[in-house]
Amino acid sequence: QVQLVESGGGLVQPGGSLRLSCAASESIFRFNVMGWYRQAPGKQRELVASLTNGDNTDYADSVKGRFTIARDNAKNTVDLQMNSLKPEDTAVYYCNAKLFFRGIHDYWGQGTQVAVSS
């Protein structure tokens, strides 16, 4: 069973930075796409950033230029560097991995809370 474990969440002031990390129980190269989603209270879960095993990236318009998704091969993690954080970035952030094999297999982490507040 694939396990994804997020870390790095916390409370930060507006304009600050956080780095989230997603550790996988299997090689991250096994997955076709890895990404970060977030869910704020009362809102639907939304894609924040994704990274394919071909190194293609995609970002939500609201985070472009502020967030960067990247793979750390040595640690077998997918990280999300978040800069210039805004109160509207407050949410639970989830790591996701997709495996395309006889359909799409979705794997999720347990989530990590990010709160942006002064």
Side-chain angles (χ1 to χ4, degrees), residues 36-114:
W36 286 92
Y37 289 71
R38 67 186 180 188
Q39 188 166 19
K43 295 188 176 181
Q44 289 189 329
R45 191 173 296 189
E46 64 174 356
L47 175 67
V48 176
S50 65
L51 173 66
T52 71
N53 55 10
D55 289 333
N56 294 312
T57 58
D58 189 28
Y59 295 93
D61 287 342
S62 59
V63 308
K64 283 180 181 177
R66 299 188 298 122
F67 291 13
T68 302
I69 187 170
R71 191 182 293 115
D72 187 325
N73 298 337
K75 296 181 180 179
N76 197 44
T77 61
V78 174
D79 300 336
L80 185 68
Q81 178 65 41
M82 306 186 294
N83 298 327
S84 302
L85 283 161
K86 304 175 181 180
E88 50 264 42
D89 294 318
T90 295
V92 177
Y93 284 70
Y94 297 91
C95 179
N96 172 263
K98 297 186 188 298
L99 178 63
F100 302 157
F101 178 72
R102 297 179 181 176
I104 300 175
H105 302 269
D106 261 312
Y107 303 98
W108 294 92
Q110 81 287 352
T112 185
Q113 177 71 54
V114 171

Side-chain angles (χ1 to χ4, degrees), residues 5-26:
V5 179
E6 302 99 334
S7 61
L11 174 64
V12 64
Q13 292 186 341
S17 298
L18 279 177
R19 187 177 185 88
L20 305 183
S21 186
C22 174
S25 59
E26 302 182 19

